[in-house]
Amino acid sequence: MHRIEEVVSRIGRGQQAEKDRAADLLTETVRNGGVIQAFGCGHSEALAMEIAGRAGGLVPTNRIALRDIVLYGGEPLEALADPTVERNPEIAHKLYQLAPVKPDDAFVIASNSGINGAVVEMALLVKERGHPLIAITSAEHSAGVASRHPSGRKLGDIADVVLDNGAPYGDATLALPGGGAVGAVSSITAALLAQQIVTEVVARLLAAGVTPPVYLSDNVPGGKEHNAELEARYAGRIRRTA
């Protein structure tokens, strides 16, 4: 708790200029009828789940996941059996082509290290196609390791806005006797950053006189009907899978 409180306080209260810039980009996307595309591999997929399709979140959001190559691309399930699949840059091309992406969409990509091939290649594709890109990554970890992408670039080198999740090198916070550590924090701080950005986007929409398209919980009376009505506005552009 002591370590989590320290990093949450630092990350939650800091980087205000970057948070404002991220919120401005995403507000413009929503106001222009675009969708926020969220992507992360491994545990960073939790960031995409925090943004896309949850109660209190924005409806015009979509989660891109590695398993999309099986769900939508017809790849065999065995394609996901390799634990190093996220290091393959070619996966990013398949995922982008399979996703319901439009020119006015923005991207939020999370990766604690910011160095694996799929994430870096996705970031490059996103910028080549003119989308705004917000990265959530560990500045400390990313600075301490070499890129695994052929270009030598990292996620933080490519994004329009970079938010530091505050995780230490290796993510875990409590040192173990003889080496190693336990108590990772990147999922906690990434969730905090995601919720702060979404809240700022909603505040900007309200200030502009726009009713924000926000989910209710399906588990409250009328929630499912409310959500279905809003989702219909983005038919074919957002996916909601297990």
Side-chain angles (χ1 to χ4, degrees):
M1 279 299 299
H2 175 74
R3 294 301 301 272
I4 289 170
E5 287 171 348
E6 183 277 325
V7 71
V8 162
S9 179
R10 175 163 49 88
I11 294 306
R13 291 180 170 83
Q15 307 177 89
Q16 195 56 52
E18 290 82 2
K19 291 173 185 174
D20 285 342
R21 176 63 176 149
D24 288 343
L25 289 173
L26 298 184
T27 301
E28 183 178 2
T29 294
V30 174
R31 293 197 67 180
N32 290 338
V35 167
I36 300 167
Q37 304 283 347
F39 175 59
C41 299
H43 285 89
S44 291
E45 188 185 345
L47 179 280
M49 297 176 72
E50 198 70 27
I51 289 176
R54 69 162 302 154
L58 291 162
V59 174
T61 52
N62 184 62
R63 170 166 48 106
I64 298 173
L66 288 176
R67 59 184 169 277
D68 290 353
I69 63 173
V70 175
L71 290 174
Y72 306 109
E75 296 280 343
L77 187 59
E78 290 73 21
L80 300 177
D82 181 359
T84 66
V85 64
E86 67 181 287
R87 299 183 184 181
N88 179 5
E90 292 306 312
I91 291 291
H93 292 265
K94 295 179 181 178
L95 291 173
Y96 187 94
Q97 291 166 3
L98 290 169
V101 179
K102 300 295 183 184
D104 51 4
D105 293 351
F107 277 72
V108 181
I109 298 180
S111 170
N112 192 59
S113 67
I115 64 170
N116 283 317
V119 164
V120 176
E121 188 72 8
M122 180 67 83
L124 291 170
L125 284 170
V126 164
K127 292 313 302 172
E128 286 172 6
R129 285 156 175 76
H131 302 286
L133 172 59
I134 298 157
I136 298 179
T137 188
S138 165
E140 180 178 332
H141 189 113
S142 189
V145 288
S147 174
R148 292 180 174 138
H149 190 270
S151 70
R153 302 180 74 183
K154 304 175 186 179
L155 175 61
D157 301 329
I158 304 162
D160 298 296
V161 181
V162 180
L163 293 171
D164 179 17
N165 68 21
Y169 182 84
D171 200 355
T173 57
L174 303 177
L176 294 171
V182 68
V185 298
S186 64
S187 296
I188 297 169
T189 53
L192 171 61
L193 289 168
Q195 290 300 332
Q196 286 186 303
I197 294 169
V198 168
T199 300
E200 289 293 337
V201 171
V202 170
R204 283 159 169 73
L205 293 173
L206 288 170
V210 177
T211 301
V214 172
Y215 276 110
L216 295 176
S217 170
D218 272 359
N219 299 310
V220 300
K224 191 172 184 64
E225 293 76 15
H226 167 89
N227 296 339
E229 181 179 347
L230 290 177
E231 286 182 337
R233 301 178 189 176
Y234 303 93
R237 301 195 61 192
I238 59 176
R239 293 169 172 165
R240 297 293 180 253
T241 59

